[in-house]
Amino acid sequence: MKTEEIKEFVERIPFRPFAIRLSNGARYEIHSPRNIGAPGNYSVVFYFGPNSGWALLDTENIVEITNVA
């Protein structure tokens, strides 16, 4: 997945929830801008989940980004 595509979802205004699916089948739902972080070049993405959980998502392993209803 291109980093520009990821950036578009993360930075769109107004923010709308979306999900990231990785090549290993893991899925992360982003319901708030506070659930995600990335450096300016989006070379990696940090997911911040419930209960202080977090995950480092390698952008090369992202296979799909979809809207969440």
Side-chain angles (χ1 to χ4, degrees):
M1 170 135 313
K2 294 180 183 174
T3 56
E4 279 300 314
E5 293 175 83
I6 298 163
K7 183 177 179 177
E8 287 176 22
F9 273 86
V10 174
E11 296 183 359
R12 61 187 171 178
I13 298 173
F15 180 86
R16 292 183 304 277
F18 62 95
I20 296 173
R21 187 172 58 86
L22 302 181
S23 58
N24 68 359
R27 186 172 187 266
Y28 298 91
E29 289 192 5
I30 314 300
H31 292 280
S32 163
R34 295 183 62 109
N35 292 130
I36 195 161
N41 65 1
Y42 285 82
S43 56
V44 295
V45 175
F46 294 91
Y47 166 77
F48 302 105
N51 304 318
S52 299
W54 64 276
L56 176 62
L57 312 179
D58 183 349
T59 55
E60 292 185 14
N61 290 323
I62 296 174
V63 295
E64 180 181 43
I65 300 178
T66 58
N67 289 309
V68 173

